[in-house]
Amino acid sequence: MKNTVVVGAQWGDEGKAKITDLLAGEADIIIRYQGGCNAGHTVVVDGETYKFHLIPSGILYDGKTCVIGAGTVINPVVLEEELEDLKKRGVSTKNLKICQLAHITMPYHIDLDGADELLLGNNKIGTTKRGIGPTYTDKMARLGFRIEDLYDEELLLSKIERALPIKNAQLEKIYGLKPYSKEQILEFCHYYRDYLKPYVDMDLLPFLEKSRKAGKKILFEGAQGVMLDIDFGTYPYVTSSNPIGGGAVTGTALGINSVDEVIGVFKAYITRVGEGPFMTELLDDEGEKIQSIGKEFGVTTGRKRRCGWFDLPIAKYSAQVSGLTGIALTKLDVFDSFDKIKLCVAYKDKRDGHIYDNYPTNINLHKYLEPVYRVFDGWKTDISKAKSYNDLPENAKIYLKEIEKLTDVPIKIISVGPDREQTIFI
Ligand code: GDP
Ligand code: IMO
Ligand code: MG
């Protein structure tokens, strides 16, 4: 295996965790590079389902090092729940390492996320309310707490003195919420200082460098997706981090030349949770059909996912901004009973007929655009047991070839069901 980044190439929930879990079999180190517990990653092994929010999907293998990287934000309460759940299920967590540079979601970040959304009213983002935006905001505003601060009492106290008056002023004066006392924050920090200690390795950065130089195989696990990227997504309807391929470099302390391959994970269609533009969204029976066959419910919030056809302008854009070297296409089996399948190949301006072959980043323009579709015949066959490309029906191959041709990125993995076994490598 080459050092590989697994990137969500649409609006999240593409099946990244399944692909990461599969590739993790050959990796030595699996490292999450951004996001926090807004992520909901599902892995199914021998019919048993595991849901992860912060822990890399590689944890199910014995003897692999799993890292929560520098670019992530960690809500220790959720991490504790996740760790305890894994231990109860007999999964060893001893190989988990937390980067000391990761930022901590404080209790007030969660209050602020909910309050911001309430105040935005109809303009809300539809966040997961996990405090992600406020944690990254404080990181950028230089008011954040890093994991390493927990182990330096002097530093911790000075950071609380610095940040808390500002946070409390926001809570009380803008939102009319209850402030936090210094003692409350200290108690929280002390509890998680002790709880997380076995996982925090202050020598993680030299360990990563040594491993890279020794030729250890590294798998970078992304969360969310390119269209939720803070810079390249449908801003402001995005998350607050960089899910794109480049996030793997800024979020891990492994240099740009440590990446050999970038696999973009796409669903055979698209889903989105939360608010924001979605050109190919289906608000009819077909959308309902994809939602119900695909069991499209958010892992973190349980919300119904919005569903629509595959969007090529987005796929091309996504391939460019992440530097994709390959595609993993998931959930192809969801189309097994469809008569017709549509592929959006461009957008048309309803006002003057102008055709956009490439994704326009100004989302205000989107309301004037409509998708231009190419229609494909379905295959009307159960493909969930297909083991090789040749097992796939001709109509499925035609659909796949078109995606490959128009994105100009080779499809390297096809997923035909949630289980590890239901995968075709090309
Ligand atoms: P992630 O956030 O990108 O890891 O994806 P999620 O776990 O949020 O959502 C993907 C869902 O699709 C999960 O329930 C997976 O078990 C499921 N899944 C993944 N690949 C396939 C597939 O090829 N076919 C079907 N039917 N389900 C899949
Ligand atoms: P995984 O890793 C899908 C969405 C939210 C909202 C926007 C901002 O499972 O693919 P946030 O809480 O991050 O401030 O919310 O981003 N969002 C996701 N959508 N999958 C995810 O993660 C998501 N994480 C955040 O629904 O629209
Ligand atoms: Mg998910």
Side-chain angles (χ1 to χ4, degrees):
M1 177 196 139
K2 295 176 180 169
N3 290 346
T4 303
V5 181
V6 176
V7 179
Q10 296 162 328
W11 272 293
D13 302 326
E14 300 88 348
K16 296 175 291 293
K18 167 171 172 172
I19 303 302
T20 305
D21 167 75
L22 275 171
L23 300 177
E26 284 183 44
D28 300 300
I29 298 172
I30 302 99
I31 179 162
R32 247 295 284 277
Y33 58 83
Q34 47 65 237
C37 59
N38 47 350
H41 294 170
T42 318
V43 176
V44 184
V45 185
D46 298 332
E48 198 168 340
T49 301
Y50 298 85
K51 292 179 192 295
F52 302 111
H53 298 288
L54 281 159
I55 297 176
S57 310
I59 198 83
L60 297 175
Y61 294 91
D62 267 344
K64 314 264 176 197
T65 303
C66 285
V67 179
I68 304 180
T72 63
V73 293
I74 297 174
N75 178 343
V77 183
V78 174
L79 183 54
E80 180 183 16
E81 281 167 13
E82 219 171 309
L83 283 163
E84 294 307 315
D85 181 54
L86 282 176
K87 285 184 209 162
K88 257 189 244 145
R89 295 175 74 173
V91 177
S92 169
T93 59
K94 72 177 194 321
N95 292 328
L96 178 74
K97 290 176 188 280
I98 299 172
C99 181
Q100 76 266 29
L101 300 177
H103 275 248
I104 302 170
T105 295
M106 291 292 193
Y108 51 76
H109 288 134
I110 294 161
D111 300 345
L112 290 169
D113 197 353
D116 273 338
E117 285 282 274
L118 208 62
L119 216 59
L120 280 167
N122 286 339
N123 292 317
K124 71 175 194 286
I125 308 292
T127 73
T128 59
K129 298 205 178 137
R130 295 298 187 270
I132 303 300
T135 311
Y136 277 112
T137 300
D138 276 0
K139 170 176 168 172
M140 292 303 175
R142 294 152 293 190
L143 290 171
F145 289 78
R146 308 204 289 198
I147 291 289
E148 65 183 3
D149 305 346
L150 299 176
Y151 304 95
D152 183 333
E153 192 71 3
E154 191 184 16
L155 180 63
L156 181 65
L157 284 168
S158 74
K159 284 206 167 180
I160 295 175
E161 301 272 326
R162 201 161 163 266
L164 201 58
I166 300 179
K167 295 290 108 186
N168 278 341
Q170 282 176 3
L171 287 168
E172 284 186 278
K173 295 189 179 140
I174 302 177
Y175 302 108
L177 293 174
K178 254 178 78 179
Y180 285 84
S181 68
K182 185 175 141 189
E183 289 68 34
Q184 276 175 305
I185 299 298
L186 257 182
E187 194 188 331
F188 175 85
C189 290
H190 285 164
Y191 177 82
Y192 285 105
R193 171 195 64 195
D194 298 339
Y195 180 81
L196 296 178
K197 190 140 199 296
Y199 305 104
V200 180
D201 178 358
M202 294 298 182
D203 290 324
L204 176 68
L205 301 189
F207 162 80
L208 288 176
E209 180 60 356
K210 213 167 90 190
S211 306
R212 186 185 70 83
K213 283 195 170 142
K216 298 285 182 199
K217 301 291 168 229
I218 301 162
L219 183 61
F220 302 80
E221 180 180 27
Q224 290 81 50
V226 172
M227 300 312 287
L228 288 169
D229 186 276
I230 187 76
D231 293 304
F232 295 98
T234 45
Y235 190 88
Y237 299 98
V238 292
T239 192
S240 299
S241 65
N242 285 118
I244 61 163
V249 176
T250 55
T252 58
L254 285 150
I256 194 158
N257 52 7
S258 62
V259 175
D260 304 312
E261 177 120 52
V262 187
I263 297 290
V265 187
F266 292 86
K267 271 178 188 160
Y269 46 94
I270 297 197
T271 62
R272 169 162 212 173
V273 263
E275 308 302 317
F278 182 175
M279 194 77 71
T280 61
E281 181 171 16
L282 291 165
L283 299 166
D284 55 10
D285 289 350
E286 253 167 343
E288 283 287 321
K289 190 171 169 187
I290 295 178
Q291 198 278 329
S292 99
I293 297 176
K295 301 191 180 71
E296 295 296 352
F297 288 97
V299 177
T300 302
T301 57
R303 290 177 291 180
K304 243 186 182 183
R305 294 172 179 156
R306 301 156 63 190
C307 298
W309 299 116
F310 194 96
D311 183 323
L312 270 161
I314 282 183
K316 287 192 291 182
Y317 175 74
S318 193
Q320 176 189 344
V321 302
S322 281
L324 299 187
T325 60
I327 288 175
L329 197 101
T330 64
K331 300 197 111 166
L332 191 62
D333 54 297
V334 170
F335 283 148
D336 282 356
S337 63
F338 279 61
D339 292 322
K340 299 280 176 199
I341 295 157
K342 290 186 187 169
L343 193 60
C344 166
V345 290
Y347 309 142
K348 186 168 120 187
D349 195 317
K350 288 180 265 190
R351 297 166 300 181
D352 59 7
H354 180 81
I355 295 290
Y356 288 85
D357 291 317
N358 294 308
Y359 171 76
T361 57
N362 173 3
I363 64 163
N364 190 46
L365 189 63
H366 292 198
K367 62 175 177 285
Y368 301 113
L369 308 182
E370 61 187 15
V372 177
Y373 285 119
R374 196 170 295 171
V375 183
F376 294 76
D377 288 326
W379 41 91
K380 311 282 274 181
T381 318
D382 176 4
I383 60 167
S384 65
K385 292 178 190 67
K387 293 279 172 234
S388 75
Y389 184 73
N390 285 334
D391 292 341
L392 291 175
E394 209 46 44
N395 283 350
K397 288 183 189 162
I398 293 171
Y399 180 67
L400 295 170
K401 275 194 190 128
E402 204 59 17
I403 290 177
E404 199 168 57
K405 189 175 100 196
L406 295 171
T407 53
D408 197 24
V409 183
I411 296 179
K412 297 194 171 172
I413 300 171
I414 301 165
S415 172
V416 293
D419 211 278
R420 258 185 204 167
E421 303 302 314
Q422 294 173 293
T423 314
I424 297 167
F425 285 92
I426 300 179

